Amino acid sequence: MANSKYEYVRSFEVEDEIMLPNIIIVRIDGRNFCRFSKFHEFEKPNDMKALELMNLCADAVLEKFPDIIFSYGFSDEYSFVLKKTTKFYQRRASKIHSLIVSFFTSVYVNKWKAQFPQKDLRYAPSFRSRVIGCASIEVLQSYLLWRQSECHLNNQYDTCFWQLIKSGKPENEAEEMLKGSLKQDRNELLYQSFNINYKKDIPEIFRQGTCSLRTVEDIVKYKEDGSAVKRCKRKFTRVYSENIASRRFWNNQLCLVKELGQFTEDLSKTKSEYVKSFQHESRLMPSTWIVVRIDGCHFHSFSDVHQFEKPNDAQALNLMNSCAAAVLEEFKDIVFAYGVSDEYR
Ligand code: ATP
Ligand code: MG
Ligand code: MG
């Protein structure tokens, strides 16, 4: 398309570069996982295998996209933080988050059977994604504090809710009991009624969420003549930690400090203006025609590896078409779709 008469179509694409020095975060979240988790009979409030599946997908994302150096997830969501100076896809928001979420989702489907050998995946899950630009390291710190507080609040609430249900309370009564309750009240309820010490008895993965960080390790290799050479080996490490937004946690991780910067002070809460900016979603004007174009990433090598017949593999095209049909079935507002090769719009 470059330098061809069709180059003008580029002007149909949105201008959405996240300018430096903003730090790029991509957050993905399961779409209607309340239903998905019921349908697939997840253990409540926390299904360990489902969480592990999310974590495996996040590992695969880190492995695939080397510019991501930190990730944090709980429940059906994950946040991925890219290094400050990333030039990935010219820092274009739509490219970056669509790639990450589509890769995450296909790994989720791919790894389902290994994680749940006794359970069929009964319908295709989908995840939403968005980019959050953080203007400074302090904003990133606030973002992490906000997400981890959300993890804590949701998990503490769900732990109480499901204990009440398991003890025989109907759902509406359990909801009524927890309405307006404070953190302290819920801890008290767990302790008094169910002999559960929230901090001691609930595993940290449920209470605190999961972090993965990219680290660099020096390894020594020996040449044929016996002389030693130092090499850097990139790996990532999983960490469960209280207060990931604290200086104590963050500043101890060399790689995070190097690629993103240091936290200069501890925060007690996230400013509400920041939360508002994290939740901001831009909308199109009413009556704007919306065309979503998807295009396979590196499909040239994908088609080689999977031995597509050249120039056209009928089965691969059929697969694209049946995916498009499923999209039309799921999203009723889509009125027309047209596809060719590895793209659809
Ligand atoms: P939305 O599309 O707005 O995100 P949602 O139903 O996905 O809707 P969330 O607020 O994202 O709403 O909540 C995620 C839901 O998925 C919760 O109901 C949660 O209990 C369930 N869920 C996610 N992961 C697990 C898990 N590992 N074990 C049990 N339930 C889970
Ligand atoms: Mg969700
Ligand atoms: Mg969620």
Side-chain angles (χ1 to χ4, degrees):
M1 191 166 66
N3 300 322
S4 77
K5 65 176 179 173
Y6 297 111
E7 186 141 357
Y8 69 91
V9 298
R10 288 210 191 280
S11 66
F12 294 160
E13 294 186 0
V14 283
E15 293 278 342
D16 59 354
E17 178 183 338
I18 308 285
M19 300 283 182
L20 275 165
N22 289 284
I23 295 168
I24 300 174
I25 303 176
V26 173
R27 182 164 85 251
I28 61 143
D29 185 290
R31 179 170 157 264
N32 202 353
F33 258 48
C34 194
R35 173 170 180 261
F36 184 84
S37 60
K38 270 196 196 136
F39 222 79
H40 293 87
E41 297 169 339
F42 283 9
E43 269 176 35
K44 290 291 182 179
N46 285 295
D47 187 302
M48 191 62 192
K49 283 189 179 168
L51 271 185
E52 187 53 26
L53 176 58
M54 290 290 291
N55 290 346
L56 290 172
C57 296
D59 288 350
V61 168
L62 260 80
E63 177 104 44
K64 175 92 177 168
F65 305 105
D67 280 13
I68 300 174
I69 50 169
F70 182 73
S71 71
Y72 172 68
F74 64 94
S75 178
D76 66 339
E77 74 162 71
Y78 243 100
S79 298
F80 298 98
V81 185
L82 280 75
K83 67 178 182 188
K84 197 166 165 179
T85 54
T86 183
K87 295 199 169 66
F88 190 50
Y89 274 90
Q90 290 85 48
R91 304 177 63 91
R92 288 172 60 194
S94 52
K95 295 274 180 194
I96 296 172
H97 75 85
S98 62
L99 260 177
I100 291 178
V101 75
S102 109
F103 183 72
F104 188 99
T105 311
S106 43
V107 177
Y108 193 94
V109 172
N110 239 334
K111 290 192 185 288
W112 176 273
K113 201 72 214 166
Q115 202 59 18
F116 292 109
Q118 322 291 351
K119 270 184 208 177
D120 285 338
L121 183 58
R122 292 176 56 198
Y123 67 88
S126 45
F127 290 83
R128 269 190 221 91
S129 59
R130 59 155 74 205
V131 162
I132 298 109
C134 296
S136 68
I137 184 81
E138 183 221 336
V139 182
L140 169 65
Q141 185 183 14
S142 297
Y143 175 86
L144 296 176
L145 181 65
W146 176 55
R147 287 334 289 157
Q148 200 175 30
S149 313
E150 199 76 10
C151 165
H152 171 64
L153 286 176
N154 286 352
N155 187 62
Q156 198 204 29
Y157 181 95
D158 288 350
T159 308
C160 290
F161 179 80
W162 287 100
Q163 279 299 332
L164 290 168
I165 301 295
K166 284 170 191 169
S167 73
K169 290 257 180 299
E171 289 199 4
N172 56 351
E173 229 176 90
E175 273 166 11
E176 202 51 44
M177 281 180 75
L178 294 171
K179 214 172 176 179
S181 62
L182 302 173
K183 273 189 209 172
Q184 194 52 37
D185 304 332
R186 294 193 290 264
N187 269 346
E188 218 31 47
L189 170 82
L190 285 175
Y191 194 65
Q192 299 299 342
S193 309
F194 305 108
N195 199 23
I196 293 175
N197 179 329
Y198 184 72
K199 215 170 165 179
K200 282 207 182 117
D201 299 334
I202 305 294
E204 52 189 0
I205 183 172
F206 302 160
R207 285 185 292 114
Q208 297 165 349
T210 305
C211 303
S212 274
L213 34 118
R214 198 174 284 283
T215 48
V216 181
E217 190 184 32
D218 282 337
I219 52 164
V220 178
K221 288 221 161 173
Y222 293 94
K223 289 200 223 164
E224 272 178 14
D225 63 6
S227 61
V229 271
K230 243 187 176 177
R231 289 269 153 75
C232 288
K233 189 173 174 232
R234 285 173 173 278
K235 58 172 201 160
F236 41 88
T237 315
R238 255 198 217 169
V239 185
Y240 304 100
S241 171
E242 234 168 28
N243 206 354
I244 57 171
S246 65
R247 281 183 302 171
R248 190 157 165 248
F249 170 76
W250 190 267
N251 295 351
N252 269 333
Q253 313 295 340
L254 283 183
C255 193
L256 299 182
V257 172
K258 179 169 168 255
E259 300 292 1
L260 292 157
Q262 260 192 340
F263 290 170
T264 50
E265 52 188 283
D266 285 324
L267 305 174
S268 55
K269 69 193 262 285
T270 303
K271 289 183 188 142
S272 58
E273 307 91 284
Y274 286 3
V275 173
K276 212 167 143 193
S277 87
F278 301 147
Q279 290 174 321
H280 174 76
E281 279 184 88
S282 56
R283 286 165 209 267
L284 293 170
M285 299 287 275
S287 310
T288 308
W289 286 99
I290 300 174
V291 179
V292 175
R293 184 164 67 89
I294 62 147
D295 189 347
C297 176
H298 298 153
F299 248 53
H300 187 77
S301 52
F302 184 86
S303 65
D304 278 348
V305 172
H306 294 87
Q307 298 170 350
F308 283 13
E309 263 177 40
K310 296 287 179 183
N312 284 300
D313 187 307
Q315 272 176 304
L317 282 177
N318 277 338
L319 177 58
M320 287 292 288
N321 291 345
S322 54
C323 291
V327 169
L328 261 79
E329 181 69 38
E330 179 81 11
F331 302 97
K332 303 288 184 206
D333 282 7
I334 302 178
V335 290
F336 179 73
Y338 170 73
V340 55
S341 179
D342 66 340
E343 65 171 78
Y344 244 100
R345 62 194 75 199

